[in-house]
Amino acid sequence: MNSTFLYGANVHANGIRQHYLRYGGDNGARATRPAVVVIPGITSPAATWGFVGETFGRQFDTYVLDVRGRGLSEASATLDYSLDAQAADVIALAQTLGLERYALVGHSMGARIAIRAARHAPRGLVSTVLVDPPVSGPGRRAYPAKLPWYVDSIRLATRGTDAEGMRAFCPTWTEEQLRLRAQWLHTCDERAMRASFEGFHTDDIHADLPRLSVPSLLITAERGDVVLDADVREMQALAPALLHVRVRSAGHMIPWDNEAGFYEAFGDFLGAKLV
């Protein structure tokens, strides 16, 4: 099947350099549908989500973002890595790209960014998809992943490692997935990761949910304990229109574990089926 990848590019938006990968384009039937901005998680540069971008690009004009401090987007010792800054980045990116109608699809940290961005009801935002967002926060149970897992893997990648080095951290991943993580993980700034991990426990995304005014879909993993059934019920009580789909045979990294099930979970929510 032909690739839908178009190019990688940088823009200056919200005062920083933001890098993204574009798939699909805005021609044909895609021109009639909202664009899609994919926001990856805490240690997932855009390049590691390229296989998802390829699939989305068949139906949508798709932009996979390097969140600040990751991949080829700006990073520094003085950069603000807060959730508010990340949400402002996404809104500014869409405005700078001139996206008249767009959906946010965020995974993990990216889902929390999407929730915070949607709270501001930015012009052009028509829907959000929240993929297994950490539900930790003030007074809530901790995020199940531990900080040393991130620190140790980033430092190993920064020194230089291969797929075998990553296997200890991601034992169920394929050789291709491990190679890609070994190649790109060093571009995740440890300062950015630490700030985001701390934010998992200090930022209250539940307070944002009642202000989720666009149609929204929650996609969660059947395995793992990031989002439990009780968490889904609470989120839907706060945002009654929030739809929910669980993906079978998948842990937190849903498209890595069950790629077909991940795409099927969207149905036609975005305006066209992915598979």
Side-chain angles (χ1 to χ4, degrees):
M1 187 173 293
N2 293 333
S3 174
T4 64
F5 175 69
L6 296 177
Y7 55 80
N10 298 281
V11 295
H12 187 77
N14 196 34
I16 67 165
R17 182 189 71 252
Q18 297 193 51
H19 176 261
Y20 63 89
L21 303 176
R22 189 181 185 188
Y23 297 83
D26 57 2
N27 58 326
R30 288 183 290 258
T32 67
R33 301 166 185 153
V36 172
V37 178
V38 177
I39 315 169
I42 189 169
T43 55
S44 293
T48 65
W49 276 73
F51 69 105
V52 174
E54 287 279 7
T55 296
F56 271 78
R58 295 173 198 158
Q59 303 294 342
F60 303 97
D61 188 16
T62 302
Y63 302 80
V64 185
L65 175 64
D66 270 329
V67 177
R68 60 169 60 200
R70 284 86 176 171
L72 301 181
S73 286
E74 190 166 330
S76 77
T78 59
L79 202 60
D80 179 2
Y81 293 115
S82 68
L83 181 61
D84 285 332
Q86 293 168 334
D89 284 348
V90 172
I91 295 171
L93 175 78
Q95 293 174 343
T96 302
L97 294 175
L99 304 182
E100 295 183 358
R101 298 169 64 242
Y102 65 94
L104 297 178
V105 175
H107 171 252
S108 192
M109 177 191 77
R112 291 169 68 95
I113 295 171
I115 293 169
R116 182 58 55 90
R119 182 185 75 174
H120 299 286
R123 179 177 57 82
L125 180 64
V126 297
S127 63
T128 66
V129 180
L130 315 174
V131 183
D132 226 40
V135 294
S136 46
R140 296 177 176 274
R141 75 176 189 278
Y143 181 56
K146 304 303 180 184
L147 182 61
W149 186 91
Y150 295 105
V151 173
D152 293 347
S153 60
I154 288 176
R155 291 181 178 177
L156 178 62
T158 299
R159 290 197 301 270
T161 191
D162 57 11
E164 195 58 37
M166 287 290 102
R167 196 178 305 279
F169 298 93
C170 309
T172 65
W173 288 23
T174 67
E175 190 75 13
E176 181 181 3
Q177 291 167 350
L178 291 168
R179 281 199 304 268
L180 198 59
R181 187 164 180 82
Q183 178 186 359
W184 281 95
L185 184 58
H186 76 93
T187 68
C188 293
D189 189 287
E190 185 177 323
R191 295 161 298 197
M193 178 278 295
R194 285 180 177 272
S196 293
F197 189 87
E198 180 181 350
F200 285 174
H201 303 93
T202 57
D203 294 315
D204 186 2
I205 61 163
H206 290 78
D208 297 335
L209 288 171
R211 300 174 64 178
L212 202 59
S213 60
V214 295
S216 297
L217 169 66
L218 174 66
I219 296 176
T220 60
E222 181 184 57
R223 300 200 311 264
D225 55 358
V226 175
V227 186
L228 305 177
D229 289 341
D231 300 319
V232 174
R233 290 193 292 270
E234 181 182 10
M235 294 176 74
Q236 289 183 315
L238 293 168
L242 181 66
L243 304 175
H244 174 238
V245 178
R246 276 214 188 271
V247 179
R248 294 186 176 184
S249 304
H252 183 57
M253 301 299 285
I254 297 176
W256 277 253
D257 293 338
N258 183 356
E259 186 177 359
F262 175 66
Y263 300 138
E264 289 170 1
F266 285 81
D268 60 0
F269 178 78
L270 295 174
K273 292 184 177 182
L274 294 167
V275 291

